Amino acid sequence: MRFCGRSLRCLLPVLLFLATAPNMLANSGTAVLIEQAENGDGVAQLNLGLAYANAFGGLSTDDTKAAYWFRQAAEQGYAEAQYQLGAAYEKGLGELSTDDIQALYWYRKAA
């Protein structure tokens, strides 16, 4: 199954991150973002997942951590995180094995 293609949907996570995270990443803000995510802030969890997935904010790419943070935000009901978790299952991101059923489940929750 391929859901992303070259659509605007692929750019949405990056645009969301760029729109909501600049203040979190300024002046050692990555540490603040991590702290907020660890304290249960769903937006911070999503942004941290995007940061790990795309090597933003001085973080190196870590697909396992990206999938972890997407799940944390997705379980709180954040639609973009649910979509990202679906994509993670579709691709087998990090330690997740490719699972089309889980991918479809999370894509549907995100819709």
Side-chain angles (χ1 to χ4, degrees), residues 20-33 36 41 43-44 47:
T20 60
N23 293 335
M24 292 182 197
L25 295 177
N27 300 326
S28 72
T30 303
V32 172
L33 182 63
Q36 290 175 337
D41 183 323
V43 173
N47 285 330

Side-chain angles (χ1 to χ4, degrees), residues 7-8 11 15-16 19 48 64-65 76 87 96 111:
S7 68
L8 180 60
L11 295 175
L15 295 174
L16 176 67
L48 189 54
T64 299
K65 288 181 181 178
Q76 291 188 55
L96 297 177

Side-chain angles (χ1 to χ4, degrees), residues 22-107:
N23 293 335
M24 292 182 197
L25 295 177
N27 300 326
S28 72
T30 303
V32 172
L33 182 63
I34 292 169
E35 180 181 350
Q36 290 175 337
E38 289 173 344
N39 288 330
D41 183 323
V43 173
Q45 291 169 340
L46 170 60
N47 285 330
L48 189 54
L50 293 169
Y52 278 119
N54 298 293
F56 290 149
L59 298 173
S60 57
T61 302
D62 187 329
D63 292 338
T64 299
K65 288 181 181 178
Y68 171 81
W69 289 114
F70 290 148
R71 177 177 299 284
Q72 298 306 304
E75 289 176 349
Q76 291 188 55
Y78 288 90
E80 185 57 35
Q82 292 167 340
Y83 174 82
Q84 292 298 325
L85 187 56
Y89 272 110
E90 182 182 0
K91 298 172 190 169
L93 192 68
E95 295 180 1
L96 297 177
S97 42
T98 302
D99 187 334
D100 290 340
I101 293 171
Q102 280 293 309
L104 185 58
Y105 170 81
W106 287 106
Y107 283 137

